[in-house]
Amino acid sequence: MIDPHTPDPIQYVGEDGTPVLALPERFTPALLRELHRDMLRAREFDRKLITLLRQGRTTFYAQSSGMEATQVGLARSLRAGHDWVWPYYRDHTLALSMGVPMYELISQCLGTNSDPCRGRQMPHHFASAALKFVSISSSIASQVPPAAGSAMAQKYLGTDEITVCTFGDGATSEGDWHAGMNMAGANQAPCLFVCENNQWAISTGVRQQTASATIHIKAQAYGMPGYYVDGNDIVAVMEVCAHAAERVRRGDGPALVECLTYRVGSHSNADADAEKQYRTREEVGVWLARDPILRLEKLLEHLGEPVSPEERAALIAQTHREVDQDVLRAEATGQPDWRIIFEDVYADLPSHLRDQAAALRAEQEGARA
Amino acid sequence: MTATQEKATPTPVGETRTINLIQAITEALAEELDRDHRVVLFGEDVGARGGVFMATAGLQARFGRERVFDTPLSEASIVGAAVGMAARGLRPVAEIQFADYMGPGFDQIISQAAKLRYRSGGQFTCPLVIRTPSGGGVKGGHHHSQSPEAYYTHTPGLKVVMPSTPYDAKGLLKAAIRGEDPVIYFEPKRLYRASKGEVPTHDYTVRIGEAAVRREGTDLSLIGYGGVMPDVERAAEALGAEGVSAEVIDLRSLVPWDQDAVVRSVQKTGRAVLVSEAPRIGNFMGEVAYVIQERAFDSLLAPVGQVAGFDTPYPYVQDRVYLPGPNRILAACVRALNH
Ligand SMILES: Cc1ncc(C[n+]2csc(CCOP(=O)(O)OP(=O)(O)O)c2C)c(N)n1
């Protein structure tokens, strides 16, 4: 039985890769290898996108390196394409693991004609109706009240879908976060809230963010259980998230899971100098040693099923090839033209926008002539 | 040089040096922190990091964590706390990381900051400054590019300013900090480093509510503020090359705004083109156009022209097309001239 409100994060696999709790049966070597593949793929995706950024082929990138166990683990605890997700901008690993095609994600990051969001938003602000992955808003915590509403709708409609809402630790300071948590609690809405506590909101550490010892204890105030989990231990993340999701699905009301993890890279390309500005090399070093991919590799070794260096290298090479191919394919579709400015603002083009679009068309055609 | 111009755009006297707009802001903050112990500075990431645009770089190291500090990620708390501090006699200068994120603090701005003096019969006041980068041109998509000034100009009790030069940025910020009212201070982020100019080494302020005549002319008045100003001046130059003499006015302050400077100019030129990058409906320039027709109707030789952003969210791709550049400004001028 997984106990909410524990003082220490729940852990199944210790930092050296040996289990501290008996591994649940479903974690067969085959599954663990699949998880390893998903995490490594996400890590390499990060690496490649940073290269694209350096090449000036995209303009913004928010890595999730170090947070793979949290996002892959969460994805694996849900019913992809069935449950609704109200994510935040650092969730591309979650998206990939839920089955969003890499090509679509890359297209969104490049703002090409193949971008399902049609170049309207900054890189990482993805949406997929097919996977019920709702459009990401940059405005921190603004997804939380709508997630509560999404879950209330499910309750009303009587479906067995659940809603999942993710956010960083910083987001839990916003009024919207408290409003959404309260709304979900008051209505016993089937919503799973997941805090990806990577301990920094740009340069503001979690200790400056809140005087609360943990985020998960705040759940109590809104009438829901709060679970605390080692977010770099994929087994623990999956066990706790699956348990919490099941509870929500059963109709026992909302729940909050806090995954304690770390963003090892900078917040985005805008603060590449994180180590000089606001945190120490030592701190980053401590968390690099807690790398979730490394930990899973140690576990597999412990189980006598090690990932060979060749296997690892092949996986990395394959991901790089895939990204390269998708980038070229996306870039070949070209950039959306000026028309995207006016489309999708309303269901129909109102007369004032028709006039503005006509004026811009004349200007664009004049410029080309 | 006319008397008006002397008043509106004083040539810096004494020693000056050339700095950019963001340096001007940092200097204004440092000097005000130094001058008045009641001044405190806070917001998301303004401390160790120095702000995402580095406007507060080095200030925490120099003035300490009591006076320059990071806050939790909550604009409602930032603005609301500033209101409380101001009511207790401090001079809070709060940074909202992007104007697009004033939303969560909106109620504190319009319900508390703007109305404390009025509803308490003047017993309580709210002398605070909210600094925030606004406007587009930085590939930021809608959440890092919007120009929301009209929401605030529409709220009685707030002063609203937007500088476009380092000289004004420094002088207006100091005036805002020393003033007795809540001031929303918009910083056109694409000019942070692009706008350079001479700034005096001595202390000075720029009065809130006075426009600046950037260029004198007789055929047409080009009126703008904030991030569009370099393009407005480029358009005026292009017109000059064609033998058209355009007068360029930088409003600098939106509330209160310099009606007299605008009316005087239009009475001289007979034509006005208003330029801003905010969406057109409810744009602050609608008020300027209204006052022009009210006070200078008899001088008008053509309808007042307006160049604005489109009535759509700000896009990520095609973001430069969204912005009214020199071509769109010139086209509006040609329409006014050929009327
Ligand atoms: C309402 C709002 N205020 C400020 C910002 C600017 N901003 C972008 S990311 C960020 C930090 C978010 O931290 P956290 O929620 O912990 O997520 P993390 O980036 O650490 O994953 C801030 C302040 C924003 N996007 N929205």
Side-chain angles (χ1 to χ4, degrees):
Chain A
M1 183 62 203
I2 292 167
D3 182 23
H5 310 303
T6 48
D8 296 314
I10 296 168
Q11 198 179 52
Y12 277 76
V13 182
E15 276 171 43
D16 60 359
T18 47
V20 292
L21 289 179
L23 279 193
E25 253 170 49
R26 65 178 174 135
F27 290 93
T28 59
L31 175 62
L32 292 172
R33 275 165 172 279
E34 254 180 56
L35 299 175
H36 178 261
R37 187 202 59 202
D38 286 1
M39 291 206 279
L40 199 59
R41 185 170 129 100
R43 174 75 53 92
E44 294 307 315
F45 181 83
D46 260 17
R47 235 195 275 284
K48 289 294 283 182
L49 267 96
I50 288 166
T51 311
L52 285 187
L53 190 70
R54 293 210 184 100
Q55 295 169 341
R57 285 154 98 178
T58 182
T59 58
F60 175 84
Y61 192 68
Q63 323 171 34
S64 59
S65 279
M67 299 165 65
E68 291 89 351
T70 292
Q71 292 187 16
V72 172
L74 171 60
R76 289 274 179 160
S77 314
L78 302 172
R79 298 191 193 162
H82 183 75
D83 294 333
W84 284 74
V85 189
W86 291 79
Y88 86 117
Y89 58 80
R90 206 180 288 286
D91 274 337
H92 51 271
T93 292
L94 178 66
L96 279 175
S97 321
M98 295 209 58
V100 171
M102 195 183 267
Y103 176 60
E104 285 187 13
L105 267 184
I106 286 175
S107 298
Q108 197 281 326
C109 288
L110 300 179
T112 51
N113 270 315
S114 49
D115 169 12
C117 306
R118 311 193 64 209
R120 298 287 176 33
Q121 290 223 81
M122 271 175 57
H124 287 261
H125 292 65
F126 182 76
S128 167
L131 284 155
K132 300 181 179 170
F133 203 89
V134 182
S135 177
I136 295 167
S137 164
S138 308
S139 198
I140 301 286
S142 62
Q143 74 277 28
V144 183
S150 164
M152 286 158 71
Q154 279 154 208
K155 192 172 169 184
Y156 177 84
L157 296 170
T159 71
D160 74 337
E161 297 147 17
I162 65 167
T163 292
V164 176
C165 178
T166 61
F167 38 80
D169 41 302
T172 68
S173 296
E174 287 281 10
D176 269 355
W177 186 80
H178 296 274
M181 292 286 290
N182 189 56
M183 188 73 168
N187 288 284
Q188 289 296 292
C191 195
L192 177 63
F193 297 98
V194 179
C195 179
E196 301 180 24
N197 180 358
N198 63 20
Q199 307 188 54
W200 288 93
I202 308 188
S203 70
T204 305
V206 70
R207 288 277 70 83
Q208 286 164 286
Q209 195 68 245
T210 175
S212 181
T214 64
I215 303 294
H216 82 290
I217 58 172
K218 298 187 189 205
Q220 205 163 4
Y222 300 110
M224 62 180 92
Y227 301 89
Y228 194 28
V229 60
D230 181 335
N232 284 12
D233 172 355
I234 191 151
V235 175
V237 173
M238 276 175 65
E239 276 300 287
V240 173
C241 286
H243 169 88
E246 211 27 63
R247 185 183 189 287
V248 171
R249 208 180 299 280
R250 263 202 319 266
D252 291 349
L256 169 70
V257 177
E258 174 183 7
C259 298
L260 183 67
T261 179
Y262 198 75
R263 113 172 115 66
V264 291
S266 54
H267 165 74
S268 73
N269 48 307
D271 72 336
D273 248 357
E275 267 68 85
K276 278 196 207 123
Q277 283 176 337
Y278 55 83
R279 60 188 196 185
T280 62
R281 215 166 267 286
E282 291 70 50
E283 178 186 305
V284 180
V286 166
W287 283 92
L288 279 173
R290 293 181 186 161
D291 187 311
I293 298 180
L294 214 64
R295 186 163 337 164
L296 183 53
E297 285 174 0
K298 285 182 190 158
L299 172 68
L300 280 161
E301 231 175 85
H302 175 85
L303 297 175
E305 300 271 346
V307 179
S308 73
E310 297 75 34
E311 239 179 302
R312 202 174 196 285
L315 238 161
I316 291 173
Q318 187 201 326
T319 310
H320 287 202
R321 262 197 314 276
E322 218 177 314
V323 175
D324 287 340
Q325 279 166 6
D326 286 348
V327 167
L328 291 178
R329 208 173 123 213
E331 281 177 343
T333 66
Q335 261 221 335
D337 71 9
W338 59 271
R339 286 175 188 82
I340 61 114
I341 292 177
F342 299 96
E343 290 160 3
D344 299 321
V345 182
Y346 300 100
D348 301 309
L349 197 66
S351 58
H352 69 286
L353 287 189
R354 202 173 310 140
D355 295 345
Q356 292 177 11
L360 182 56
R361 171 186 290 122
E363 187 187 309
Q364 294 287 306
E365 281 166 5
R368 240 179 289 128
Chain B
M1 195 181 269
T2 65
T4 320
Q5 201 182 349
E6 264 167 29
K7 188 174 135 238
T9 42
T11 314
V13 288
E15 214 182 307
T16 66
R17 70 268 179 276
T18 303
I19 57 174
N20 64 32
L21 197 143
I22 197 144
Q23 287 170 316
I25 289 168
T26 311
E27 284 186 10
L29 294 172
E31 289 172 24
E32 292 307 295
L33 280 160
D34 216 18
R35 189 186 60 80
D36 184 347
H37 78 278
R38 298 172 305 167
V39 175
V40 288
L41 222 71
F42 52 90
E44 292 155 15
D45 303 294
V46 304
R49 168 83 210 266
V52 292
F53 290 101
M54 309 309 287
T56 55
L59 298 181
Q60 185 176 70
R62 185 163 156 207
F63 295 98
R65 282 169 186 272
E66 309 254 280
R67 300 191 61 200
V68 180
F69 54 93
D70 288 328
T71 62
L73 206 178
S74 165
E75 292 73 15
S77 318
I78 294 168
V79 179
V83 170
M85 291 180 201
R88 294 289 307 272
L90 296 188
R91 294 281 163 156
V93 182
E95 177 178 300
I96 299 296
Q97 207 156 72
F98 284 89
D100 313 70
Y101 300 134
M102 287 165 81
F106 191 67
D107 189 51
Q108 287 297 324
I109 298 173
I110 66 164
S111 302
Q112 295 286 354
K115 297 178 174 74
L116 190 59
R117 176 190 294 275
Y118 190 76
R119 68 170 190 239
S120 68
Q123 297 181 89
F124 296 100
T125 64
C126 198
L128 59 81
V129 180
I130 297 172
R131 294 179 35 244
T132 190
S134 77
V138 298
K139 266 285 184 205
H142 51 273
H143 274 127
H144 302 86
S145 308
Q146 295 171 100
S147 297
E149 56 270 18
Y151 296 114
Y152 304 96
T153 60
H154 192 65
T155 302
L158 300 176
K159 288 185 174 175
V160 179
V161 301
M162 188 167 343
S164 75
T165 66
Y167 179 89
D168 289 349
K170 189 165 178 183
L172 282 169
L173 185 49
K174 283 171 166 255
I177 293 171
R178 295 178 198 183
E180 298 301 326
D181 294 306
V183 179
I184 312 293
Y185 180 94
F186 288 105
E187 302 170 3
K189 66 173 92 68
R190 73 174 175 282
L191 302 187
Y192 271 151
R193 288 183 171 80
S195 175
K196 297 191 182 81
E198 281 190 41
V199 173
T201 48
H202 64 81
D203 186 42
Y204 72 99
T205 58
V206 169
R207 182 129 52 101
I208 294 174
E210 280 180 11
V213 180
R214 298 284 180 220
R215 183 187 178 111
E216 290 204 66
T218 51
D219 299 334
L220 173 121
S221 302
L222 265 171
I223 300 155
Y225 60 86
V228 300
M229 287 315 296
D231 283 340
V232 168
E233 299 207 37
R234 247 166 252 143
E237 249 166 59
L239 287 170
E242 300 288 317
V244 176
S245 159
E247 180 148 295
V248 173
I249 295 183
D250 181 346
L251 289 178
R252 305 196 286 193
S253 296
L254 305 186
V255 177
W257 68 281
D258 200 339
Q259 293 194 11
D260 291 348
V262 168
V263 167
R264 219 167 22 235
S265 177
V266 177
Q267 280 168 343
K268 180 170 70 171
T269 64
R271 295 180 168 89
V273 170
L274 314 178
V275 187
S276 69
E277 61 181 278
R280 167 88 176 248
I281 297 176
N283 188 306
F284 178 74
M285 286 304 196
E287 174 66 12
V288 176
Y290 176 81
V291 169
I292 290 173
Q293 69 80 29
E294 185 182 50
R295 291 183 53 191
F297 186 73
D298 293 338
S299 311
L300 282 176
L301 302 169
V304 176
Q306 194 181 163
V307 185
F310 301 115
D311 289 307
T312 70
Y314 198 106
Y316 170 69
V317 299
Q318 303 292 345
D319 70 325
R320 282 282 169 175
V321 172
Y322 181 95
L323 283 178
N327 288 344
R328 209 171 294 156
I329 299 170
L330 272 176
C333 293
V334 169
R335 274 195 301 278
L337 290 161
N338 292 341
H339 184 76

